[in-house]
Amino acid sequence: GLFLRTFTSLVNVSLGFDPDPVLVAYVNAQQSAVTPSERRALHERVRQAAETVPGVAKAALSVVTPVSSSTTQLSVEVQGSAQLSERQRITHANMVSAGWFATYGTRLVAGRDFTPHDTAGAPRVAIVNEAFARRFLNGASPLGRTVRPTFGPPGRINAPMEIVGVVADAVYRTLRDPVPPTLYVPIMQVDEPPPVVRLSVRSAGPSPAMLVRDVTSAVARVDPRIALTFRPLKDYVDASLTQERMVAMLSGFFGGLA
């Protein structure tokens, strides 16, 4: 009964995003001839090309895919925050493009979303989730406050940022953990863009898997040396439940047999 109840609870967890219409492409530009300083522009051309494919409603970029077990963490200080220990100041982070929250169906609670104008030369901005506001500000509005990274991936997120938006809580790494405080920054403002990013496309039709061929062709026209690997977002969610599903099936079978 405990195993079955655990599995049922995880299946019914509110994800904070809609996985069914989203297809995720692992975009590897390591073989591309572009220099690291040109990666931002290359990534944006890839996103724009995918968004023009018939049947694609939205397309966006990120460094982390939710429920994929990958993670980026930072230690931050927030203007007006309560006194927190070093451990408590650790937040999860993701680098995303404009339109990423709309692509995933994550609700904007307050403030604004990222826009195409949030580029390297523009003022540094950030968006946080509700769990971030609860941890650092006891639920008070974080809009307009400055968040400053004190430790994180070298060369990625270093400068102070103004918090311009708040989004609803969404599962980050795994369904088993409570939603962590999460900081989102524009991928176009990252100091050293990684050669590998995730392209997420939201299908306007019934099956996102049907977009694979057309998205592949569109990206190849941007740079044929970019390697793509596709996987529906729903597969990530299902894979995260494999262990609990197997245990629930076995325990149910042997319980019935007993």
Side-chain angles (χ1 to χ4, degrees):
L2 284 171
F3 288 136
L4 290 169
R5 188 170 64 183
T6 297
F7 175 66
T8 302
S9 298
L10 288 175
V11 168
N12 293 321
V13 164
S14 176
L15 298 174
F17 56 85
D18 181 11
D20 292 339
V22 179
L23 178 70
V24 180
Y26 184 88
V27 181
N28 189 336
Q30 289 179 318
Q31 300 303 316
S32 176
V34 300
T35 63
S37 62
E38 298 171 324
R39 284 179 189 153
R40 275 191 292 256
L42 176 64
H43 293 162
E44 178 59 17
R45 291 199 301 272
V46 166
R47 188 199 66 79
Q48 292 175 354
E51 200 166 51
T52 62
V53 171
V56 171
K58 298 280 185 182
L61 300 167
S62 68
V63 172
V64 174
T65 301
V67 205
S68 65
S69 295
S70 61
T71 181
T72 296
Q73 292 184 323
L74 300 172
S75 177
V76 300
E77 292 180 349
V78 180
Q79 178 187 4
S81 171
Q83 289 295 114
L84 299 174
S85 67
E86 180 65 30
R87 182 180 180 84
Q88 291 174 316
R89 289 192 286 111
I90 292 176
T91 178
H92 287 62
N94 199 356
M95 292 153 265
V96 304
S97 71
W100 191 82
F101 299 109
T103 301
Y104 276 72
T106 298
R107 181 171 55 92
L108 183 68
V109 175
R112 70 168 178 88
D113 199 349
F114 295 139
T115 74
H117 300 293
D118 294 319
T119 58
R124 299 292 181 111
V125 294
I127 291 174
V128 300
N129 68 349
E130 294 168 301
F132 186 101
R134 289 193 298 271
R135 166 75 64 80
F136 289 91
L137 298 164
N138 295 320
S141 173
L143 296 180
R145 298 178 189 261
T146 299
V147 55
R148 184 176 67 86
T150 58
F151 178 79
R156 295 285 172 82
I157 309 172
N158 299 314
M161 299 161 281
E162 179 187 352
I163 299 173
V164 296
V166 181
V167 292
D169 288 342
V171 172
Y172 184 94
R173 190 177 66 88
T174 172
L175 280 73
R176 301 176 187 87
D177 298 337
V179 174
T182 308
L183 174 77
Y184 301 91
V185 301
I187 196 169
M188 298 299 287
Q189 291 188 338
V190 174
D191 295 328
E192 295 181 13
V196 178
V197 295
R198 278 70 175 172
L199 170 69
S200 299
V201 296
R202 186 178 184 90
S203 173
S207 174
M210 296 177 65
L211 298 171
V212 169
R213 184 177 64 181
D214 290 342
V215 171
T216 300
S217 298
V219 173
R221 289 193 290 271
V222 174
D223 189 333
R225 288 163 291 196
I226 292 177
L228 297 176
T229 305
F230 291 90
R231 189 178 183 186
L233 181 59
K234 192 173 187 303
D235 282 4
Y236 286 99
V237 177
D238 291 343
S240 70
L241 296 171
T242 298
Q243 179 179 334
E244 283 78 10
R245 182 183 291 110
M246 182 63 69
V247 171
M249 290 173 60
L250 289 173
S251 61
F253 171 76
F254 285 111
L257 185 63

